[in-house]
Amino acid sequence: MRLTWEEPYASDWEQLSPAVARRRLPVWDCTVGLVAGADAALMIDTGSTLREGAELRTQARGLLGGARVTHVALTHPHFDHVLGAAAFSGVEVYGAVGIDTVFERGRDELAADAVRHGVDRHAAGEAADLLVHPHHLVCGEWTLDLGGGTRVLLANVGPGHTGHDLAVLVPGTDGSPEIVFCGDLVEESGEPQSGPDALPTQWPHALDRLLELGGADALYVPGHGSVVNAAFVRAQRDALATRHGVS
């Protein structure tokens, strides 16, 4: 597989390297990612509804020259990142250990949160009813071999933004930088959002782990907003530490 950049879908996506792209979805500015290997392709997060997930599936197939997404990684259990997962039938789904319990016990709350943020009630309920539980739960780190030398590291770096934060590291090759998909541990388009499931005193430590993963020269892809560098992540880490009294 390889990423192609022909219309009609290329204009919606930002190319980060020859094998990596990301899209900022409308309304909540939620980021999704796509990583192509020779034999497989990984989608990072899936949007807020089945309709949005289906659109992402179609666009990904276009960018992959007709090939299908084979793996999905969910960065954390918030509606705008997970409710489109059921649109990706037959894929292997990964999440941080414990996300399955959130999905099992908090299905109704996920739908209710989506409705509070403006998602149609029927669409939210349908997506929650069909919510895909991850097939693989990441406790520490998990390496996915997508073929052709493309290996992606899934790292359980939380808790922080939630109790179940998963980061995705795409190592740099052929002069391309390391790329870290951060989920909502990092936000650029606004202040980091701290909901009732956040663990604020642990959040700075999760960002320390992100910086260890990517290093000083990596591109860091936030859950919302523009791609940032290590200095931005470090500044956000220090601001959160100050706010919550963490060293």
Side-chain angles (χ1 to χ4, degrees):
M1 299 182 188
R2 62 185 181 87
L3 291 181
T4 64
W5 294 96
E6 299 176 2
E7 295 300 340
Y9 305 127
S11 58
D12 287 339
W13 291 76
E14 176 185 358
Q15 186 173 13
L16 303 180
S17 80
V20 184
R22 70 100 177 222
R23 182 182 171 194
R24 293 169 69 171
L25 297 174
V27 185
W28 297 284
D29 192 26
C30 174
T31 287
V32 296
L34 181 63
V35 186
D39 307 316
L42 170 70
M43 178 70 73
I44 302 163
D45 288 338
T46 59
S48 59
T49 63
L50 292 176
R51 180 177 180 179
E52 198 162 57
E55 179 183 67
L56 290 169
R57 180 195 64 206
T58 298
Q59 291 192 344
R61 192 165 186 177
L63 292 173
L64 293 166
R68 295 178 179 271
V69 168
T70 55
H71 300 71
V72 163
L74 302 175
T75 62
H76 64 286
H78 284 168
F79 82 92
D80 49 334
H81 296 259
V82 305
L83 285 184
F88 292 85
S89 60
V91 307
E92 295 294 308
V93 181
Y94 295 76
V97 67
I99 195 175
D100 54 328
T101 302
V102 175
F103 286 177
E104 183 176 344
R105 298 178 182 176
R107 185 185 305 262
D108 292 342
E109 176 52 32
L110 265 175
D113 192 36
V115 172
R116 285 194 294 269
H117 283 84
V119 175
D120 172 78
R121 186 175 300 277
H122 174 75
E126 180 184 35
D129 286 344
L130 297 174
L131 189 62
V132 174
H133 288 223
H135 307 99
H136 308 286
L137 299 173
V138 181
C139 180
E141 296 179 352
W142 192 308
T143 300
L144 291 180
D145 187 348
L146 302 181
T150 302
R151 293 176 178 267
V152 175
L153 181 69
L154 309 181
N156 185 337
V157 296
H161 176 67
T162 72
H164 315 285
D165 294 309
L166 187 74
V168 179
L169 169 68
V170 185
T173 56
D174 299 326
S176 299
E178 309 270 317
I179 299 171
V180 183
F181 285 86
C182 307
D184 285 5
L185 285 167
V186 178
E187 296 192 38
E188 185 275 336
S189 54
E191 287 294 315
Q193 298 300 301
S194 182
D197 57 345
L199 288 90
T201 60
Q202 297 299 312
W203 200 330
H205 302 306
L207 295 182
D208 287 336
R209 179 67 179 129
L210 281 181
L211 289 165
E212 291 172 2
L213 280 174
D217 299 321
L219 299 179
Y220 292 86
V221 184
H224 303 264
S226 299
V227 176
V228 299
N229 59 19
F232 181 96
V233 176
R234 191 171 297 107
Q236 197 157 92
R237 181 257 181 231
D238 291 345
L240 286 165
T242 299
R243 183 187 308 171
H244 299 295
V246 179
S247 59

